Amino acid sequence: MIEVATDAELNARILWAAERGEPQPPGYFFETEEDLLDTLTANRFAILKALAGAGPIGVRELARRVGRDVRAVHADAQRLAGIGIIEKSADGTLLFPYDAFDIRLGWRAAA
């Protein structure tokens, strides 16, 4: 799950789950919708889709799969690895260790 949640919301979820002994699925959280959308650009989203369920992939192969320049894909992959959404191994291959992901964006009208 990739979603927007405040620290207070995350802490409440963790406490709720701990009290009930329920494990929480892995997640990546952003403080604001703008942070999420600034980070998960269309090109980076394409990288996640290409990596989902694919196992370790080199940057050149990833660039071929998403139809982009190797340097640009490398820069985007570095950003995603830097915030922990994908993993980068010592040999340089990239991995998104999940078969699928959901992105949750929710807006409410201002009161």
Side-chain angles (χ1 to χ4, degrees):
M1 178 64 68
I2 300 172
E3 66 181 297
V4 174
T6 65
D7 286 340
E9 290 169 331
L10 289 175
N11 289 337
R13 277 190 208 174
I14 291 167
L15 183 59
W16 183 87
E19 288 172 348
R20 288 157 184 75
E22 295 182 12
Q24 292 295 294
Y28 302 92
F29 302 95
F30 295 86
E31 292 236 354
T32 67
E33 292 86 1
E34 292 80 11
D35 289 343
L36 187 152
L37 294 171
D38 284 345
T39 302
L40 290 182
T41 62
N43 287 333
R44 292 177 188 154
F45 184 72
I47 288 172
L48 289 182
K49 288 188 341 185
L51 288 174
I57 296 178
V59 174
R60 289 187 186 283
E61 173 60 17
L62 181 58
R64 186 192 66 73
R65 290 184 185 195
V66 297
R68 294 180 52 218
D69 174 75
V70 172
R71 286 183 188 219
V73 169
H74 180 265
D76 282 340
Q78 288 289 98
R79 173 78 168 124
L80 293 170
I83 60 173
I85 292 182
I86 65 172
E87 299 171 7
K88 184 175 179 181
S89 68
D91 68 359
T93 58
L94 303 166
L95 174 69
F96 183 69
Y98 308 104
D99 292 336
F101 58 94
D102 292 319
I103 297 178
R104 184 178 300 165
L105 290 171
W107 287 277
R108 292 184 180 92

